[in-house]
Amino acid sequence: MIPLNLPTYPIKLSGTRQKPTIFDILRRKYVALTPEEWVRQHFIHFLIEHKGYPSSLLANEVPLKIGDKSLRADSVLYDRDIKPRIIMEYKAPSIPLTSQVLNQVSNYNRLLHVDYVIISNGLQHLCCKMDYANQQYVVMEDIPSYQDIQ
């Protein structure tokens, strides 16, 4: 896997050469090591270790249902009342962050009504604060710390 624009952490790998796995600290199990999972694990560690996000309020692979369609949000941060606050969508490093990716996470937000959405391919990251009054996203300079979103 390629180096990302995220801090490193003590990565736990397992599996075989043909089917490598990486330990997911939120799901507490080894999962298939894909380029997207590589980004997810680095980003989650970044949020916990560098931005102060409580791991107990984060979840990976959150099931969503839109009509008869079943989807999964890559990661969600909840508040202490179990209300979703941030939706995160990850892409492989080879996938550019386009408006199409932002539209994907926007569809998830129709269900969750969060305060922030974040998209990352591990090389670039985009965080937007929701402005529901004006029906738009406000692009932020940086990923906020947990303390800043309280």
Side-chain angles (χ1 to χ4, degrees), residues 4 35-43 90-91 93 120-122:
L4 302 176
E36 183 178 307
E37 195 63 46
W38 182 249
V39 172
R40 180 195 335 260
Q41 294 308 315
H42 278 78
F43 205 88
Y90 311 111
K91 295 297 179 192
S120 176
N121 64 7

Side-chain angles (χ1 to χ4, degrees), residues 66-95:
I66 299 176
D68 60 351
K69 193 174 188 179
S70 294
L71 305 169
R72 289 192 182 272
D74 286 340
S75 298
V76 175
L77 171 76
Y78 296 92
D79 66 16
R80 301 228 180 259
D81 296 321
I82 316 301
K83 178 187 179 296
R85 294 287 315 278
I86 300 176
I87 302 169
M88 289 152 264
E89 177 66 25
Y90 311 111
K91 295 297 179 192
S94 60
I95 308 286

Side-chain angles (χ1 to χ4, degrees), residues 1 28 44-45 60 75 82 88 94 102 111 116 128 145:
M1 294 288 160
R28 295 184 179 96
I44 287 297
H45 280 269
N60 284 337
S75 298
I82 316 301
M88 289 152 264
S94 60
L102 193 55
L111 289 174
Y116 300 87
C128 299
S145 70

